[in-house]
Amino acid sequence: MDPVIIVGAGPVGLTLALALARQEVPCVVLDEGPGKDEPRPARTVVLREDTAALMERLTGQPLAREGAHWAGWRSMRRKQVMREVTFGDHEPAPLHIAQHVLTGALRAALATEPLVEVAVDSRLDTVEQEASGVTAHTRGPKGTWWRGSYLVGCDGPRSTVRKLQDIRFPGRTAVERHAVAALRTELPWSDEALLHRMPPWRTSGPSAGEVTARPLPDGVWRLDWLLPPGKDLVTPELLLARIRETLAGWTGGPTPPYELLDTGVHTVHHRLARRWRVRRVFLAGDAAHLLGALGAQGLDEGLRDADNLAWKLALAWHHGPHEALLDSYQAERRGVVAGRLRAADQVLPLLRGGGGLRLPGSARGHDALLTDGHLGRGTLGAPGAYATSPLAPPHLEAEVPVDTAPGEPVTDVRVTAEDGTFVQLRDRLGRDALLVVLIAPGTGVWDRKHWMSAGIMPRLAAAVAALPHHAELLVAESYPGAAAHTVLLVRPDGHLVTALGGVRPADLYSAAEATLGGPAKAEATAASASASASASK
C-alpha cells in the first residue's frame, strides 16, 4: 500500500510521521525548506504534561535537558502577588523549550526511521484524489509526482493543502499582539515563570500593562509584552526601552546586565477550518486551527491532532477503510478546538476590554482565567475530552465510575506489561493497540508467572484476545477512583473508553467495537462469542 504523504515539516508534521512510523506505516514528508531550522531563541513553545510526554516517547530523548521545567508560577498585579503555584506530583510543570530544539529532536529521530522519507525543497502545488489514493505534485529542484494512500496538510496557517481543497478558514485576525525578546540575564528568581499585570513602572507610552517572563536553560528568559490594539510598529528603540524598564522594575534598581539574543513580534489569530477531512485528505495543526490568546498554546493542540489522527490512519492503512473512525478525527478534534476558541472569545472582552465596571474580586477572577490559559487548565488550556465522540460506546451495564470520565485522558500510573516489566501507562500508548488495564492491588509484589494464571486473569486474557483489534493487557496496582478488579479500556492516544466492574467480555467487546468506529466483521463477533462462552465455563 502507498505511504501516507505529510505536507509540512514543522513540529506537527514531524510528530505525525514519527507516530505513524511507530505503528509501521510508511510516510513521505514534503518539506519546502532545506531540512533544518534556523535557531530562533525568541520562538519557544510551552508543552503541557501530556504533549511533553508524547514528544519524549516519540523522540526517545529526555527533552527536559534541552528545555526548562519550571519550579513554579507566580502572577502579580501592580506590586501584589495574586497567585503562586508550586509544581510537583499534583501539578506537573510545563516544559518550556525553543521550537528549533524541539524540531531538531524530531528530525534526529526521523533520521533513524527507515519507514519515513523526508523530501526537502519540495513545495506542494497539486493534489489529486481518486478512490484508491492521492497523487501530489511538488515543484522545486526535485519537483516530482508522489503517490500516497492518504495526505495530511500540516503546512501552517497559509496551508496550500487547505486552499487546494477549497476549505474556508474563517475567524479573527490579530486577537492579540506581543513584543517578544529572548535575553540572558539574572533575575531575582531563577526558575519560576511570572505573569505581571499593570506593573507600577510603566513609563514608555500606552500599553495594556502585561508582561510575562518564562525561563529557559542557561539563564535565558523569554519576555512577552502585551501590545495595545492596532498595528503600531514595534521599533528597536521601543523594545529596548521595554527591556530596560522591565528589568530595572523587577530588580528594584538600575537595569542589570543582559545579553539580547533575539527579538520578534508574535501576533495571535483565531481561526478554525470548516472541514478537517475531504475524503483522503486531512488537515492538522495550524493548517486546521489558529489559537493562542490569553496564554494558551496552539502547538499543544496541533500535537494532539497528530496523536489523535495517527492511530486512526494506521488502523485504516493496515486493515482497510474505516470511514466512521476516520470521520471521528474531525468530530473530536475540531469540537475540542472550537470549544476552546468559544471560551477565549467569551473571556477576551472581560480581560482586554479596558474600562468598564470593576466588581469586587474581579482582579482575582481575571487572574485565575489567565493562569488557566498559561498553565493548561480549565476551558482555556486543559487537554480536551471526547465525551460526545461518535466513537463513544453505548450504555454498558457493567460500566463503573472512576476519577477519569470516559473520553478524558487517562492518569499516568505504573503498570506491569505483558513481559513482566514495570512501565508507565503512557509508555504503552501509540503502538497501534488498544490497552486493557486491570486494577489488581497486590500484584506488584508478585512475579508475573504467578498472577497471570490466577483468579480472573485467564478469563480477562481470553476476552482481550477476542477483541476486534489487537489489545495489550496491562495490570496496575491502583488507579484514581477505581476499585479492585476494575477493567479500563484505553485508546491508543490515551483517552479512556470505559471502566468496567470486573471481567465482562461482551461489554468489553462492545466498547472496543465502538472505539473502532462501528460493528466489526462477523468472524470477529463469532470469536467474541466463543471467548465469552469459554470464559463463563
Side-chain angles (χ1 to χ4, degrees):
M1 191 169 176
D2 294 318
V4 173
I5 300 173
I6 298 171
V7 183
V12 174
L14 299 176
T15 295
L16 180 59
L18 270 176
L20 286 170
R22 297 290 189 265
Q23 296 172 79
E24 300 184 354
V25 177
C27 306
V28 173
V29 179
L30 304 182
D31 183 357
E32 70 176 48
K36 59 183 179 180
D37 299 277
E38 177 187 359
R40 288 293 310 276
R43 191 178 187 188
T44 65
V45 295
V46 179
L47 302 179
R48 314 307 184 196
E49 181 193 19
D50 61 319
T51 51
L54 171 65
M55 292 297 92
E56 293 194 343
R57 185 171 74 245
L58 290 177
T59 63
Q61 297 185 31
L63 294 177
R65 296 177 184 174
E66 306 293 336
H69 277 298
W70 304 333
W73 161 272
R74 285 189 300 146
S75 59
M76 298 180 63
R77 186 172 183 266
R78 296 191 175 95
K79 296 182 179 181
Q80 180 183 6
V81 176
M82 304 291 290
R83 188 176 302 265
E84 291 186 273
V85 176
T86 300
F87 296 118
D89 293 339
H90 298 292
E91 180 87 35
L95 175 65
H96 188 205
I97 188 169
Q99 182 165 317
H100 70 269
V101 173
L102 175 63
T103 306
L106 290 166
R107 287 188 185 277
L110 280 175
T112 64
E113 181 51 70
L115 289 177
V116 179
E117 176 184 358
V118 179
V120 300
D121 298 319
S122 298
R123 184 176 181 83
L124 181 76
D125 60 12
T126 303
V127 173
E128 297 177 356
Q129 293 200 60
E130 307 91 36
S132 60
V134 181
T135 303
H137 184 265
T138 55
R139 55 187 172 87
K142 300 178 181 179
T144 188
W145 289 94
W146 302 87
R147 181 67 179 175
S149 54
Y150 297 94
L151 183 145
V152 186
C154 305
D155 48 343
R158 297 179 176 85
S159 170
T160 301
V161 174
R162 188 183 65 241
K163 294 172 183 175
L164 289 173
Q165 298 304 304
D166 196 25
I167 298 174
R168 293 184 59 204
F169 198 38
R172 301 171 60 195
T173 300
V175 176
E176 288 185 350
R177 286 198 314 149
H178 297 261
V180 183
L183 50 89
R184 182 176 286 109
T185 191
E186 185 174 342
L187 293 178
W189 61 95
S190 59
D191 52 3
E192 291 184 350
L194 171 70
L195 170 66
H196 200 160
R197 303 179 69 204
M198 302 178 68
W201 59 80
R202 288 296 301 123
T203 60
S204 58
S207 171
E210 183 175 302
V211 57
T212 306
R214 289 174 281 203
L216 287 159
D218 302 322
V220 175
W221 293 82
R222 170 172 166 168
L223 274 57
D224 290 62
W225 293 267
L226 180 65
L227 297 171
K231 298 182 180 180
D232 294 342
L233 183 65
V234 180
T235 64
E237 293 77 16
L238 175 62
L239 188 53
L240 289 173
R242 292 284 175 91
I243 293 172
R244 289 193 292 264
E245 70 177 12
T246 300
L247 295 183
W250 280 337
T251 56
T255 302
Y258 68 90
E259 178 187 1
L260 184 58
L261 304 175
D262 191 20
T263 63
V265 174
H266 175 51
T267 302
V268 176
H269 308 290
H270 279 181
R271 295 188 179 278
L272 185 65
R274 293 288 191 192
R275 293 181 292 167
W276 290 26
R277 180 190 181 193
V278 179
R279 292 175 293 169
R280 289 179 174 268
V281 174
F282 299 81
L283 300 178
D286 286 352
H289 52 77
L290 296 175
L291 69 164
L294 309 176
Q297 295 291 316
L299 179 59
D300 257 358
E301 295 301 342
L303 297 178
R304 290 171 186 144
D305 294 345
D307 199 23
N308 183 290
L309 183 57
W311 72 272
K312 297 172 181 179
L313 279 179
L315 194 145
W317 195 91
H318 286 295
H319 304 289
H322 283 62
E323 293 306 310
L325 181 65
L326 295 177
D327 282 342
S328 74
Y329 166 68
Q330 172 176 308
E332 291 180 346
R333 292 301 308 146
R334 190 178 187 278
V336 165
V337 175
R340 187 142 302 164
L341 288 171
R342 283 194 300 270
D345 284 343
Q346 292 170 356
V347 169
L348 274 165
L350 297 175
L351 297 179
R352 306 300 192 217
L357 179 64
R358 294 287 183 180
L359 300 175
S362 63
R364 290 195 177 275
H366 294 175
D367 177 80
L369 290 169
L370 284 167
T371 298
D372 282 351
H374 281 275
L375 299 188
R377 304 190 301 197
T379 57
L380 290 177
Y386 307 138
T388 59
S389 167
L391 303 182
H395 173 71
L396 303 169
E397 291 185 4
E399 191 167 33
V400 295
V402 296
D403 286 359
T404 303
E408 290 183 351
V410 292
T411 300
D412 189 26
V413 297
R414 192 179 81 154
V415 297
T416 305
E418 291 182 342
D419 61 1
T421 59
F422 293 111
V423 296
Q424 291 301 119
L425 180 56
R426 282 199 180 123
D427 291 342
R428 313 307 289 183
L429 300 176
R431 294 167 174 255
D432 191 30
L434 301 171
L435 301 182
V436 177
V437 185
L438 171 67
I439 312 305
T443 51
V445 297
W446 289 22
D447 189 282
R448 179 178 179 274
K449 65 184 179 182
H450 297 300
W451 52 258
M452 277 300 294
S453 59
I456 64 174
M457 284 301 293
R459 293 180 60 219
L460 181 58
V464 170
L467 292 179
H469 185 62
H470 172 61
E472 182 178 8
L473 178 56
L474 306 169
V475 178
E477 282 265 356
S478 63
Y479 187 89
H485 295 171
T486 299
V487 175
L488 310 178
L489 179 62
V490 183
R491 300 178 0 164
D493 58 355
H495 287 256
L496 180 68
V497 178
T498 189
L500 303 175
V503 181
R504 304 295 182 94
D507 280 354
L508 186 62
Y509 189 93
S510 177
E513 189 177 59
T515 303
L516 302 177
K521 295 180 180 179
E523 57 266 28
T525 305
S528 174
S530 174
S532 299
S534 63
S536 62
K537 290 180 180 179

